[in-house]
Amino acid sequence: MTHLVHPPGAAAAAPIGFDDFLKVDIRIGTVVAAEIYAEARKPSLKLQIDFGPGVGVRKSCAQIAVNYAPDELLGRQVAAVVNFPPRQVGKAMSEVLTLGFPDQAGEVVLVMPAGPVPNGARLF
């Protein structure tokens, strides 16, 4: 899924209730396949991420090719929203939103745990 760009230093979003936060299902998964998405308008990769038995393997199109090569992501754990509806991204279908923050150049740096956690673990 395409990421939304919010400039560093932008004001915080409007407050939400804790129940609203709980509606967003953010999980950890392991990248099991990655390839360059050559047809994308911005430098992107197509990922397959294993979120474990409860969620399974899901696809993601992520604009991360400036900072990451496909082979360096294999076996790495990443955070993603797993309960958004699938979204058509060019000719590919993206089933989860892989999460990241913009670096100084505005390119995505992925959210990854500091140590290994079980696939499918939910952010709280």
Side-chain angles (χ1 to χ4, degrees):
M1 292 186 157
T2 303
H3 66 278
L4 303 174
V5 178
H6 300 285
I16 62 171
F18 190 69
D19 289 341
D20 292 322
F21 170 74
L22 292 176
K23 293 176 186 176
V24 181
D25 191 354
I26 300 172
R27 306 275 182 126
I28 285 294
T30 299
V31 177
V32 295
E35 63 182 296
I36 293 173
Y37 186 13
E39 298 86 10
R41 284 184 264 153
K42 294 185 177 183
S44 301
L45 299 180
K46 290 194 282 188
L47 307 175
Q48 290 186 41
I49 306 167
D50 182 1
F51 293 98
V55 177
V57 176
R58 300 279 181 93
K59 298 174 189 173
S60 180
C61 299
Q63 295 176 357
I64 59 173
V66 171
N67 285 332
Y68 301 96
D71 60 337
E72 75 180 277
L73 289 176
L74 293 177
R76 302 273 303 265
Q77 290 190 301
V78 296
V81 176
V82 300
N83 66 330
F84 285 153
R87 182 173 175 175
Q88 192 75 37
V89 180
K91 294 182 180 180
M93 185 63 71
S94 192
E95 300 172 312
V96 299
L97 175 63
T98 305
L99 300 174
F101 292 99
D103 63 13
Q104 289 292 81
E107 300 298 337
V108 178
V109 175
L110 292 170
V111 174
M112 300 181 188
V117 296
N119 283 342
R122 186 170 179 175
L123 180 73
F124 60 84

